[in-house]
Amino acid sequence: MEALFSTEGVNPQHSFRRWRETLVGRGVPLEQARLDDGPFAAKLEAASVGPLLLTRVSHGAVRSEATRALIQRNGKDSTAVVIFKLAGVSTRSQDDRSSVQRRGDFVVVDHRPAAHESTTGSQSLFLELPRERLESVLGSTKLYTSLTMGGDVASAALTVKFFHDLVRVRDRLDPDSAARMASVGVDLIVASIAERLAQEVSRPLHGTVVVQRAKAFVEAHLGDPTLDPPHLAGAVGVSLRRLQELFHERGQHISDWIWQRRLEVTAKRLADPGCAHQPIGTLAFGCGFASQAHFSRRFKERYGSTPREYRHAAVTGADIRAFRPLRRF
């Protein structure tokens, strides 16, 4: 990873002050105070993998607080942060929930008032994501901020290992592979949170969690042409009838949701310059459409244009927001 800052070589009397100045200069909305009197060491590193920016932070024992004023000044209220714990121990508090993270755990925090304490030798990997990417599947971030995703959750253990390996091999990935792996990583994060929520919530919220898990499964398996309501019900461990009832309670139909997400993801890839060299049929098949003709018909019904017209508008700089869905599922 590229080193952005290190206290190595800095006068120990000034190392903590320089660290705080670095955070302020990079727009990090945190007030920090030391928790011990020993020599303070810190390091900040970063690496990009496709559209994702991964930041590795190492530092001594500190208490950090994100205040409302700092957050407003920072201007990142449309994103949430996923934090992978690489070393040390941290205690985080947000949205009336407190939790502890150790090596191998990860946690989500939002840009709202929060606090955390870390031990000496703390090291974490930070990943900022659009909040909408999480909430479109999992619901409000207030359901899972400061909720530890630990090694006892199988998908969380897989997610942590995936990102550890992704950082290690990132330089060997071509741009297309990096973008695909970044997308896989985000899907794993969503699936891990959904699984963890299923362990956490009370019975009255169980139906909401089942739907969240179902939507997370859809996101992770959009490219599977066999994905259908019975397949989905089996994957989340409920009867098809029960899953249909839960979706209907939320004004949705299972099959409509699957097709909606397939079309939305394909439209996003059509507008992505990184996918410009890929044939439209390849993009369609990658999102689970069995034929290009079927995809084109569905796409035009929803967006009022052919996939080729939509891609051309994006490439030429036209405002593709003009292609608003003609109908909702």
Side-chain angles (χ1 to χ4, degrees):
M1 301 183 82
E2 179 187 359
L4 302 179
F5 173 83
S6 175
T7 56
E8 185 177 352
V10 176
N11 186 321
Q13 294 183 342
H14 307 309
S15 59
F16 184 62
R17 177 175 58 81
R18 288 282 305 278
W19 170 246
R20 291 180 60 186
E21 291 172 350
T22 297
L23 295 183
V24 171
R26 300 190 68 83
V28 178
L30 292 176
E31 291 278 4
Q32 288 198 329
R34 297 196 58 187
L35 295 177
D36 61 28
D37 297 325
F40 182 80
K43 190 173 184 180
L44 187 65
E45 305 164 279
S48 295
V49 182
L52 303 181
L53 176 63
L54 299 166
T55 305
R56 187 163 60 200
V57 181
S58 310
H59 56 71
V62 296
R63 174 178 170 79
S64 304
E65 183 175 3
T67 65
R68 193 173 304 279
L70 286 173
I71 293 166
Q72 291 175 344
R73 192 183 312 159
N74 180 259
K76 291 187 176 181
D77 57 358
S78 64
T79 62
V81 183
V82 180
I83 305 168
F84 298 92
K85 195 66 184 173
L86 306 179
V89 179
S90 292
T91 303
R92 299 185 184 276
S93 301
Q94 187 173 56
D95 295 325
D96 298 321
R97 186 186 296 115
S98 295
S99 61
V100 176
Q101 293 81 47
R102 297 178 173 82
R103 181 179 179 180
D105 298 340
F106 79 89
V107 68
V108 176
V109 296
D110 209 335
H111 288 287
R112 290 190 295 274
H116 85 269
E117 294 185 0
S118 297
T119 60
T120 297
S122 175
Q123 186 178 82
S124 303
L125 187 68
F126 288 73
L127 170 60
E128 200 159 32
L129 295 176
R131 185 189 295 115
E132 190 275 336
R133 177 65 183 85
L134 299 177
E135 292 189 332
S136 64
V137 178
L138 299 166
S140 170
T141 57
K142 291 184 178 181
L143 293 170
Y144 42 88
T145 47
S146 199
L147 181 65
T148 299
M149 266 57 76
D152 57 327
V153 178
S155 57
L158 177 63
T159 302
V160 170
K161 185 178 187 305
F162 179 89
F163 275 93
H164 178 81
D165 291 342
L166 185 60
V167 171
R168 181 170 53 83
V169 304
R170 69 190 185 283
D171 292 335
R172 291 152 50 189
L173 299 173
D174 60 60
D176 289 340
S177 296
R180 285 194 295 272
M181 291 302 99
S183 179
V184 169
V186 175
D187 289 341
L188 284 172
I189 289 171
V190 171
S192 298
I193 298 171
E195 184 177 352
R196 180 65 177 85
L197 281 172
Q199 299 179 351
E200 182 73 10
V201 298
S202 59
R203 184 66 188 173
L205 291 177
H206 183 260
T208 297
V209 174
V210 169
V211 172
Q212 291 169 346
R213 291 179 61 200
K215 290 183 176 181
F217 188 88
V218 169
E219 295 299 314
H221 296 83
L222 278 179
D224 182 356
T226 68
L227 179 62
D228 59 11
H231 183 176
L232 184 57
V236 297
V238 298
S239 69
L240 175 58
R241 180 176 179 179
R242 177 57 178 155
L243 190 61
Q244 289 172 330
E245 289 174 349
L246 292 173
F247 269 77
H248 289 168
E249 288 172 4
R250 291 154 180 81
Q252 298 169 336
H253 295 275
I254 303 172
S255 58
D256 286 347
W257 174 261
I258 295 172
W259 288 118
Q260 175 182 326
R261 290 303 299 145
R262 281 174 167 159
L263 287 168
E264 289 172 348
V265 171
T266 313
K268 183 178 180 180
R269 293 177 182 176
L270 285 170
D272 184 355
C275 298
H277 67 286
Q278 296 186 32
I280 291 175
T282 299
L283 296 180
F285 298 146
C287 288
F289 289 92
S291 72
Q292 188 168 345
H294 178 221
F295 164 64
S296 296
R297 177 175 60 79
R298 285 262 189 178
F299 192 92
K300 189 166 186 179
E301 287 176 354
R302 181 154 176 82
Y303 291 100
S305 71
T306 67
R308 191 174 304 279
E309 291 168 343
Y310 189 92
R311 170 179 267 183
H312 178 73
V315 169
T316 56
D319 187 357
I320 58 174
R321 289 176 299 181
F323 294 96
R324 293 178 178 177
L326 298 182
R327 66 182 182 91
R328 294 288 180 185
F329 288 95

